[in-house]
Amino acid sequence: MLSKPRGLLFIISAASGTGKTTLAERLVQILSNLRMSRSYTSRAVRAGERAGVDYNFVSRDEFDAMVARGAFVEWADVFGNLYGTSRADTERLLESGQDVVLVIDVQGAQQVKASGIDHTAIFVLPPSFEILERRLRGRSADSEEAMQRRLAAARAEAGSYADYDYVVINDQLEPTVVRLQEIIAAERSRTHRMKKIAEDVIRTFRK
């Protein structure tokens, strides 16, 4: 009987408006053994969102208490709202053999890296800053002040691509999803990750 390997942890980071959440959602639809992590957040529920489905919504005091007891593998303040990934929830999925994708910002990715957890980090870039701005303005009802904050954050974070394992340009959705699938397939097939399965197969050669 083949051994069931521990799941893999993938990180997708990108500036707001690049399409990282849409990309992750498409990957989860296509790949049966991939799950999106459901983040905790201190912000209010938005129209169309469901508690326990889109996010785990908690009060700011509850979030701060979780930070204090080390409940998050990563957390960040994003434009005044707190977001975090549960350490226990992530570990439970990985131990069950599920691959997990975290859609997090650069700050969160740095925390995961510092924690020493085995992971693969992917940075998604738009084709250009001008296209990113056009996408943001086309989808957002933000004030101009809020828009400028998002654009400034995008400029500040873009250079962080060099800290990631892979870089993907999101020019068109479906071709970009295919490139991400190829990365995941390659990472799943690395020798050190396939070792237990390979050894089970090799044992059948010795009977």
Side-chain angles (χ1 to χ4, degrees):
M1 181 177 178
L2 297 182
S3 303
K4 189 170 186 179
R6 176 180 168 87
L8 306 184
L9 182 64
F10 295 93
I11 290 172
I12 296 179
S13 297
S16 177
T18 305
K20 59 185 180 294
T21 302
T22 300
L23 290 168
E25 288 171 346
R26 286 288 293 122
L27 285 170
V28 170
Q29 290 170 359
I30 294 166
L31 300 175
S32 60
N33 198 46
L34 184 68
R35 294 273 301 276
M36 274 184 74
S37 172
R38 185 168 60 243
S39 297
Y40 284 74
T41 183
S42 65
R43 71 162 170 76
V45 182
R46 293 172 182 163
E49 290 181 335
R50 292 171 293 167
V53 176
D54 297 289
Y55 288 96
N56 294 312
F57 294 95
V58 295
S59 69
R60 197 173 187 95
D61 285 346
E62 288 175 297
F63 195 102
D64 288 340
M66 292 180 75
V67 171
R69 64 175 183 266
F72 295 123
V73 67
E74 63 81 29
W75 69 276
D77 185 329
V78 182
F79 304 117
N81 294 310
L82 304 178
Y83 296 84
T85 302
S86 166
R87 188 181 305 275
D89 291 351
T90 302
E91 185 61 26
R92 184 168 58 252
L93 287 170
L94 294 173
E95 280 298 315
S96 73
Q98 284 279 323
D99 293 340
V100 179
V101 57
L102 306 184
V103 181
I104 56 178
D105 67 2
V106 169
Q107 181 186 159
Q110 290 170 341
Q111 292 176 48
V112 175
K113 185 175 182 179
S115 75
I117 296 174
D118 186 32
H119 68 282
T120 300
I122 306 164
F123 198 88
V124 181
L125 284 168
S128 69
F129 181 80
E130 291 73 18
I131 290 174
L132 174 66
E133 182 173 7
R134 188 159 66 243
R135 288 175 180 174
L136 271 176
R137 291 188 182 280
R139 76 169 200 183
S140 176
D142 284 348
S143 66
E144 183 60 26
E145 181 183 359
M147 179 63 64
Q148 290 303 321
R149 284 201 303 271
R150 291 185 184 278
L151 294 172
R155 286 191 177 96
E157 293 181 353
S160 298
Y161 80 88
D163 298 326
Y164 285 68
D165 301 303
Y166 297 92
V167 178
V168 173
I169 308 299
N170 185 17
D171 43 6
Q172 296 181 21
L173 177 63
E174 292 306 323
T176 305
V177 170
V178 170
R179 288 195 290 275
L180 291 171
Q181 285 180 262
E182 291 169 347
I183 290 170
I184 290 171
E187 287 298 319
R188 286 174 171 174
S189 298
R190 283 187 178 272
T191 302
H192 73 280
R193 289 171 175 157
M194 288 292 292
K195 185 176 180 181
K196 286 180 66 177
I197 293 175
E199 287 177 347
D200 285 344
V201 173
I202 294 303
R203 273 193 289 273
T204 69
F205 283 61
R206 297 170 181 157
K207 290 181 179 178

